[in-house]
Amino acid sequence: MILRIATAVAAIALAATGAVAQTTAPATGNPLQPRMVRPAPAAPAQAAPAAPAQAAPAKPARQRSPAQLANDQRMRDCGAEWRANKPALSAQGKTWRVFNVECRARLKASGR
């Protein structure tokens, strides 16, 4: 309680002496973001012929494992099954996420 009174008295004293700083927003722009001024780029006197860009050597793609390839095929098969039966599956309240988990488990169990 005493702290609140002391804070209020200090605020009144600062306001009475004019020590409270008043800020005004700049005429344009957001006052919370600094305005960036960039100098215009200097144009070269004479354009030099551009050297052909050398592309970095391409990194060879890593081969996918048989398990990854099997999973990719299961995803394709489940996607095709979902698209073919989407109205019926949606009517059952299934979403793609739920169906996908069930379908991949079913296909994996069957050895595909």
Side-chain angles (χ1 to χ4, degrees):
M1 179 80 173
I2 294 175
L3 183 59
R4 286 184 184 173
I5 294 172
T7 305
V9 170
I12 293 171
L14 285 174
T17 61
V20 176
Q22 293 183 357
T23 59
T24 58
T28 60
N30 185 348
L32 300 178
Q33 295 180 348
R35 191 172 140 202
M36 296 180 63
V37 178
R38 294 183 182 157
Q46 187 177 26
Q54 294 181 0
K59 189 175 181 180
R62 187 179 348 170
Q63 296 295 320
R64 296 183 58 80
S65 70
Q68 289 173 324
L69 294 172
N71 184 53
D72 293 347
Q73 188 58 48
R74 280 191 295 271
M75 286 292 290
R76 283 188 214 97
D77 294 343
C78 289
E81 188 177 332
W82 170 259
R83 286 186 297 277
N85 300 323
K86 186 174 180 181
L89 292 168
S90 296
Q92 294 174 5
K94 295 204 180 199
T95 62
W96 161 248
R97 296 181 84 166
V98 171
F99 174 77
N100 185 35
V101 171
E102 293 172 356
C103 177
R104 287 175 51 207
R106 178 173 37 88
L107 292 179
K108 188 171 185 178
S110 70
R112 287 184 23 190

